[in-house]
Amino acid sequence: MKRQEHVWERRVQLAAHPLAYPFITAVARRGPVVRVPGVGVVVSDPELARQVLLDHERFRKDGPGSSGALWTPVLGPAVLLNMEGEEHRRLRAALAGLFTRAQATELCTRVLGPVLREATGRLGAGGAVDLVALTRTAAGTVIGELLGVADTAGAEVFERGERIVRMVGLRTRALTPRQVTRAKAVLASLVAAAGEAYDRAESGSMMGRLRGHGLDREQALGLAAAFLLTGTETVATTVPRVFALWHDSGLLPALRADLEEGGAAFDTAIDEAMRVITPSPAMLRRAAQPGRLGATAVREGDRVVIATARCDLAAGPFDRAAALGRCPAHDPKRLWFGAGPHYCIGAPLALAEIRVLMQAVLMAGAERIVRRRVKRRVLIPTYARLVVEAG
């Protein structure tokens, strides 16, 4: 009999991708690297996936078939996720200071205080909290602060990004001209507000830092739009699934006790849960040179699809002992954030948001899931609703 956490995670995946999830699972059974007509070269082995991600000369994030090319018409040509080489390295260096663990934790603790006080107060008074709604607001609030658009409600910031992400599916290779126009219109007011932050050149802000490193206004606004798209979905989809996984595995009491004693296992438990849920189910690259991946020949121009969700599950299902730090972590390198020069620059910020949110709801006594509903036909699998109460 399947454990409850396996049942619900499968429901979440199938609701998001009723055809693609079983298909990718079947492809993984055929081998670590499989050429799939109409899709590309699919990689399901974690070590081969790392090989692709580390080799940015052979497997690039720019050009036809890559994820970078998908977003360039909306965001512009220089927004990290569609760059390679020296310019990419220079831009990451300009942003690096904004994303240390200490700075990310300080930012999240400061800006999420009011949001979390209201939610934890409700839990403490015996009320219920929808973790989906809470994390959407929280994620939008943090990115709004980072980009200098803090006057815009967090829920609205998130909703703008979600409207654009909904245009993309696992098989999408390019946005239509109509979709590009629509996406730019959705972003317009937020990008304009970020432009004002750039003009003010506030020290310590992301926009001020970009201006200080010589980026022109257009480049900085493209980056702001990119962070709006990538900086909200990961957290908003991850927190409800992590809580549900811990709840269904019976770990909530042990993790609450761990937090009361200093939280030695807390980060490990987040890592193990993220390994299993893998917020980004796939990563795309373009083969710039012919060669081989494992036993499979790769041609120049091939689209390489890293099935991250399958790679991360190669170590097995959710491991309670690993989550509590009682045995070695299955993937301490966090493949779900990528690897190599394109390792997610915002990972410390995402992890800080997850830690702050999860600590708040756990210490407020969140213990029971009273209602849940999975979200259907979305790019990143998640819950549409996850209502929790204190025990």
Side-chain angles (χ1 to χ4, degrees), residues 128-170:
V129 169
D130 181 1
L131 280 188
V132 172
L134 174 63
T135 52
R136 286 164 65 102
T137 298
T141 299
V142 170
I143 290 297
E145 177 74 14
L146 190 68
L147 300 184
V149 296
D151 291 339
T152 306
E156 181 186 344
V157 173
F158 178 85
E159 191 272 338
R160 297 284 187 97
E162 187 183 43
R163 281 165 62 187
I164 297 172
V165 173
R166 280 201 301 262
M167 299 178 187
V168 178
L170 288 180

Side-chain angles (χ1 to χ4, degrees), residues 69-71 73-74 164 167-169 172-180 183:
L70 183 68
W71 294 114
V74 176
I164 297 172
M167 299 178 187
V168 178
T172 305
R173 289 178 178 261
L175 297 176
T176 67
R178 184 177 178 182
Q179 286 176 317
V180 170

Side-chain angles (χ1 to χ4, degrees), residues 308-324:
T308 327
R310 301 311 311 171
C311 293
D312 288 338
L313 285 174
F318 185 72
D319 188 326
R320 302 177 197 187
L324 293 174

Side-chain angles (χ1 to χ4, degrees), residues 22-87:
F23 176 75
I24 290 295
T25 301
V27 169
R29 292 195 187 106
R30 289 187 56 192
V33 184
V34 179
R35 179 179 294 279
V36 180
V39 175
V41 177
V42 179
V43 181
S44 305
D45 176 82
E47 292 310 314
L48 290 175
R50 281 199 179 86
Q51 180 180 320
V52 171
L53 294 171
L54 291 171
D55 190 349
H56 61 99
E57 294 295 333
R58 289 179 58 207
F59 302 103
R60 299 177 64 90
K61 216 172 178 183
D62 56 0
S66 68
S67 55
L70 183 68
W71 294 114
T72 295
V74 176
L75 306 175
V79 291
L80 283 183
L81 53 78
N82 58 1
M83 298 171 70
E84 294 288 359
E86 178 58 26
E87 283 301 303

Side-chain angles (χ1 to χ4, degrees), residues 252-266 358-359 361-367:
L252 293 180
L255 290 173
R256 185 175 294 108
D258 173 72
L259 282 173
E260 290 170 347
E261 295 169 5
F266 197 59
M358 295 299 288
Q359 282 179 332
V361 296
L362 279 182
M363 297 312 291
E367 186 75 29

